[in-house]
Amino acid sequence: MTAAPATRPTAGPLSGPGALRFGYGTNGFANHRLGDALAVLADLGYVGVALTLDHDHLDPFAPGLARRVAAVRRRLDALGLAVVVETGARYLLDPRHKHAPTLLHDDPARRVEFLRRAVRIGADLGAEAVSFWAGVRPPGVPPGVAADRLVAGCATVCAAAAEAGVPLGFEPEPGMFVEDIAGWWRLREALGAPPGFGITLDIGHCRCLEPMPVPQCVSAVAAHLVNVQIDDMRRGVHEHLEFGTGEIDFPPVLRALADAGYRGLVAVELPRHSHAAPAVAARSLDFLRAAASRGEGR
């Protein structure tokens, strides 16, 4: 495969949707070695990756972390790939319970330590953002208690991120304790509106449950947008779909991102498509480029 230049692309002024920077989530390449996945994506023409820390892709709890992070940094630089760090691995912290523990559990210590490590890894990788979410409220935990725990946990992570100089993107996730943009605004206010506490916006989630059209969702949080995940979705169904198989009209969405002056990665989020990752990634980039071109004419 032909490697990209040995320096990462820089985000210059946007002139339209065609200037958006497309990336791909490594959770959609679960059957590939990380180095191979990065090479495939660079060869296809992606300019960045959303790197999910997990058992198979940069395990944050395995021995030799500093050495492995440095190796990934060299690989990213050699391929000219930007990176954001994602923390949504399913069974990384507990082999029996998906996503557990979260910041809402009785003992969130392992989640807090994981997020601190993610911030340090993000700093060492030169990541544009570290993304995380609230989790599902555990049975028996009252909403008020869950809210207090979430604020306390987020405050700890914000302090670590501020020290490391890494922006945070908090992701509203359908079915979780903070599932929509309104919930993100409430959490931000409860934290005292720290400057490094941004939002990760999943475009599919906007179609799934937000009351306003998807382009308006982008505009509503434009000033705080640090990370974008993109996928197709249907109303009321939290299922990440390939582009063109859901209900989203993408040219206006990409136009809204460009009009907002968003300079971060727009990373494809298809975590259940690893079985055909190279083909799906190729189709996805072709679709996004075509949609961006159509958006420029609107």
Side-chain angles (χ1 to χ4, degrees), residues 20-215:
L20 294 174
R21 301 165 62 232
F22 296 122
Y24 201 93
T26 61
N27 60 0
F29 269 77
N31 300 322
H32 283 69
R33 298 178 185 88
L34 179 57
D36 291 341
L38 299 179
V40 170
L41 292 169
D43 194 52
L44 287 172
Y46 286 95
V47 302
V49 294
L51 172 57
T52 296
L53 303 179
D54 207 346
H55 303 289
D56 49 354
H57 290 164
L58 196 54
D59 185 340
F61 295 103
L65 180 60
R67 171 184 52 79
R68 292 183 289 110
V69 170
V72 172
R73 174 68 185 258
R74 290 193 297 271
R75 185 67 166 157
L76 290 166
D77 288 344
L79 293 169
L81 292 172
V83 64
V84 297
V85 171
E86 298 280 354
T87 58
R90 294 184 177 94
Y91 292 98
L92 178 65
L93 307 184
D94 186 330
R96 294 177 176 83
H97 302 97
K98 178 182 175 182
H99 292 155
T102 70
L103 295 175
L104 311 180
H105 279 80
D106 293 342
D107 183 5
R110 192 157 172 82
R111 174 64 57 176
V112 171
E113 172 58 21
F114 171 44
L115 293 176
R116 282 175 168 162
R117 290 189 182 212
V119 166
R120 292 196 296 271
I121 290 168
D124 289 342
L125 291 178
E128 297 180 2
V130 171
S131 183
F132 71 116
W133 36 239
V136 176
R137 180 167 60 92
V141 176
V145 172
D148 290 344
R149 290 176 177 178
L150 180 60
V151 170
C154 287
T156 299
V157 179
C158 283
E163 183 177 354
V166 178
L168 292 174
F170 187 94
E171 180 187 3
E173 179 89 15
M176 292 192 176
F177 189 62
V178 176
E179 67 174 1
D180 55 18
I181 291 171
W184 177 83
W185 282 112
R186 290 191 295 269
L187 176 59
R188 179 177 179 272
E189 182 178 0
L191 287 166
F197 187 76
I199 187 169
T200 291
L201 191 68
D202 187 303
I203 298 303
H205 296 170
C206 295
R207 176 57 188 161
C208 179
L209 53 65
E210 294 290 349
M212 53 188 155
V214 180

Side-chain angles (χ1 to χ4, degrees), residues 28 31 273-281 283:
N31 300 322
H273 290 69
S274 292
H275 64 284
V280 172
R283 289 196 296 267

